Amino acid sequence: MSLNATPRGERTHIAVFGRTNVGKSSVVNALTGQETAVVSPVRGTTTDPVYKAMELLPLGPVVLIDTAGLDDEGMLGELRKQKTRELIHRADLALLVIDALAGADDFYRELLAELRQRNIPVVGVLNKVDTLLDADTGVALDEVKAQLGLPECVAFSALDSRGVPELKRAIVAALPHEEERFRLVGDLVAPGDLVVLVVPIDNAAPKGRLILPQQQTIRDLLESDAIAVVTKEHELRATLERLGTKPRLVITDSQVFLKVAADTPRDVPLTSFSILFARHKGDLGELVRGARAVENLRDGDRVLIAEACTHHQQSDDIGTVKIPRWLRQSTGKQLQIEHVSGFSYPPDLSRYALIVHCGACMLNRRAMLHRLGEAEAAGVPIVNYGVLIAYLHGVFPRAIELFPSAMMAWEEAAREPQ
Ligand SMILES: Nc1nc2c(ncn2[C@@H]2O[C@H](COP(=O)(O)OP(=O)(O)OP(=O)(O)O)[C@@H](O)[C@H]2O)c(=O)[nH]1
Ligand code: SF4
Ligand SMILES: [Mg+2]
């Protein structure tokens, strides 16, 4: 990922589903205007999901996910199907590709029901309409709309690019509007508000730039017409004095939280970048409850460290070395720590006393909420790296006072018998 690209976790995810050979990869190519996805008359050409980033105006950056056909036969087919189904949890919108000659059947009806159950907006793509007579295209389209109860369906041909602008319009119309999406910090400030950001520049800071969470926070503040003042922890006191007015909010790196808390007047709201990100990506209350569960760990407990992908972009040792060390140090217990990486958890979650999840930078909010939901269903507390590190740095409860659901979780946990 180039530094200037929108991170994948922030992009709208559009997953392309359908039977094998209906032209899913061809539809992705027609939409992106590139021949990146492999197309062939052989069924089951696409075996693993392929991610393709593009700008979809006026929506902005999206990721198209080309998937394996869902009706593969045999063992391998089962595996692929499972992988494809897991993508349902990451999709902000699904394209259902249907072959114009074959039409829709129960397979599509079931898939559509599954998507609707998860509140994922769906747009139907009746592909290969070039194989029909022009006069029959409208009839076939109406038939599919009626069969599926899916009025959002577009006549398309990847072969001659028919329907590309119509499909783009249908996608934009079906997606939730920007204002309905979850903000990073914009919902906490009003236009003209002053916000102070505390960014330590130590040996661990990357040379010559700010890290992504800091960049994204500044961007969101500017988009909200707020004023961002960036300072280091040592200059915070002087910065606050020179501002001449109380800032609306102070946001700091967790590492220097205690110093920043000491230098920030008690009546100025204070939080950390990792708390904002945890809230943006998931359910902060749930993660705070998970952090609290660290105190209840006992000798012999199993802890699962789950990373959502195999190529960790931050330092590689955070999940394998640092977190296990911190957990053992702070609890003083003999813990059995297991690791997993990829889209899915191991089968039996209930054997774990705690799940520690990565920062989920490659996942969108929907996918992360799904993973939190799975832990909750198994009755296992879950925390992410950012909230756990914040907790270990002593940011609670001050950094979560702004967020009622997180405070409730904190106080509930305090009342529970240890
Ligand atoms: N006539 C016509 N053929 C198409 C169209 N779209 C795709 N095809 C052909 O259909 C075949 C399958 O296309 P793919 O895009 O590979 O289909 P897929 O759904 O990705 O297939 P799998 O990955 O195997 O599931 C290829 O031979 C394409 O050239 C279209 O709009 N019109
Ligand atoms: S934080 Fe998670 S999703 Fe992001 S690179 Fe690391 S392992 Fe992958
Ligand atoms: Mg394909």
Side-chain angles (χ1 to χ4, degrees):
M1 181 174 73
S2 109
L3 281 179
N4 294 322
T6 303
R8 194 200 270 174
E10 295 296 322
R11 288 172 176 259
T12 298
H13 285 51
I14 301 174
V16 184
F17 295 116
R19 280 192 180 279
T20 44
N21 226 34
V22 293
K24 298 176 298 301
S25 302
S26 307
V27 168
V28 168
N29 289 345
L31 272 177
T32 56
Q34 294 171 6
E35 300 293 318
T36 38
V38 181
V39 168
S40 97
V42 180
R43 285 183 182 277
T45 300
T46 309
T47 50
D48 285 306
V50 178
Y51 292 79
K52 177 72 200 149
M54 70 174 281
E55 289 289 322
L56 183 61
L57 292 172
L59 199 69
V62 302
V63 178
L64 284 167
I65 312 172
D66 183 17
T67 71
L70 276 166
D71 56 348
D72 286 356
E73 308 285 327
M75 266 303 283
L76 247 178
E78 268 310 308
L79 245 169
R80 276 180 211 153
K81 252 156 73 174
Q82 200 187 329
K83 267 197 211 159
T84 300
R85 281 219 132 80
E86 278 167 13
L87 289 173
I88 290 181
H89 308 307
R90 321 184 126 201
D92 296 299
L93 179 137
L95 295 184
L96 220 48
V97 182
I98 302 152
D99 183 304
L101 271 180
D105 54 8
D106 277 347
F107 163 86
Y108 283 99
R109 238 169 265 139
E110 282 163 27
L111 188 56
L112 186 62
E114 201 169 329
L115 290 162
R116 288 210 165 126
Q117 204 192 350
R118 296 177 195 280
N119 287 322
I120 298 171
V122 180
V123 175
V125 183
L126 191 67
N127 189 36
K128 309 194 188 183
V129 292
D130 57 276
T131 59
L132 302 179
L133 293 171
D134 277 350
D136 293 339
T137 300
V139 179
L141 187 64
D142 286 343
E143 209 166 277
V144 166
K145 284 181 183 175
Q147 274 175 340
L148 294 177
L150 183 66
E152 298 82 10
C153 198
V154 175
F156 199 88
S157 165
L159 193 73
D160 60 20
S161 291
R162 209 179 315 172
V164 171
E166 288 83 359
L167 181 54
K168 287 184 177 172
R169 271 202 297 279
I171 291 172
V172 172
L175 273 169
H177 292 294
E178 188 61 44
E179 322 64 272
E180 292 164 25
R181 303 233 199 106
F182 213 79
R183 302 296 297 272
L184 187 50
V185 52
D187 60 321
L188 302 174
V189 297
D193 275 351
L194 262 168
V195 177
V196 176
L197 309 177
V198 186
V199 174
I201 302 291
D202 56 15
N203 291 338
K207 294 270 170 290
R209 63 181 173 89
L210 297 178
I211 60 173
L212 210 52
Q214 296 158 354
Q215 291 175 28
Q216 283 178 255
T217 305
I218 294 172
R219 166 73 198 238
D220 199 30
L221 286 169
L222 296 177
E223 233 165 76
S224 312
D225 301 327
I227 301 160
V229 176
V230 188
T231 183
K232 289 184 300 194
E233 70 276 25
H234 301 294
E235 284 77 38
L236 173 63
R237 201 183 277 263
T239 304
L240 291 174
E241 276 165 18
R242 291 184 61 179
L243 280 181
T245 170
K246 278 198 175 128
R248 171 71 193 86
L249 179 67
V250 174
I251 304 167
T252 180
D253 187 287
S254 294
Q255 283 176 64
V256 292
F257 191 86
L258 293 180
K259 171 163 176 49
V260 169
D263 287 350
T264 304
R266 196 62 188 85
D267 58 345
V268 173
L270 168 65
T271 192
S272 69
F273 290 104
S274 48
I275 296 290
L276 288 180
F277 265 78
R279 185 183 76 117
H280 177 61
K281 272 285 148 87
D283 176 340
L284 184 59
E286 193 62 34
L287 296 167
V288 166
R289 223 169 276 128
R292 234 14 222 286
V294 169
E295 294 163 25
N296 302 334
L297 290 174
R298 292 164 207 272
D299 283 328
D301 272 351
R302 280 202 177 82
V303 175
L304 179 68
I305 298 190
E307 298 199 335
C309 71
T310 44
H311 46 284
H312 201 287
Q313 294 182 331
Q314 294 135 31
S315 60
D316 264 332
D317 58 352
I318 182 124
T320 51
V321 180
K322 287 190 184 153
I323 299 235
R325 187 173 67 218
W326 288 330
L327 278 176
R328 290 192 172 108
Q329 273 169 0
S330 79
T331 61
K333 304 290 185 214
Q334 300 284 335
L335 303 173
Q336 294 188 49
I337 296 180
E338 294 175 18
H339 296 264
V340 64
S341 64
F343 288 177
S344 45
Y345 290 129
D348 184 13
L349 277 188
S350 59
R351 32 199 304 270
Y352 299 101
L354 177 70
I355 299 171
V356 183
H357 201 284
C358 73
C361 66
M362 303 296 272
L363 297 182
N364 59 5
R365 178 171 168 81
R366 188 187 282 276
M368 188 57 195
L369 287 176
H370 173 72
R371 302 198 65 160
L372 292 175
E374 278 184 291
E376 201 183 355
V380 185
I382 178 165
V383 63
N384 72 1
Y385 288 3
V387 172
L388 180 65
I389 293 168
Y391 170 73
L392 296 171
H393 278 108
V395 316
F396 291 162
R398 187 155 179 203
I400 55 173
E401 282 170 356
L402 268 171
F403 310 111
S405 66
M407 273 314 274
M408 262 167 58
W410 177 259
E411 283 161 6
E412 261 165 40
R415 279 195 298 274
E416 275 165 21
Q418 297 289 301

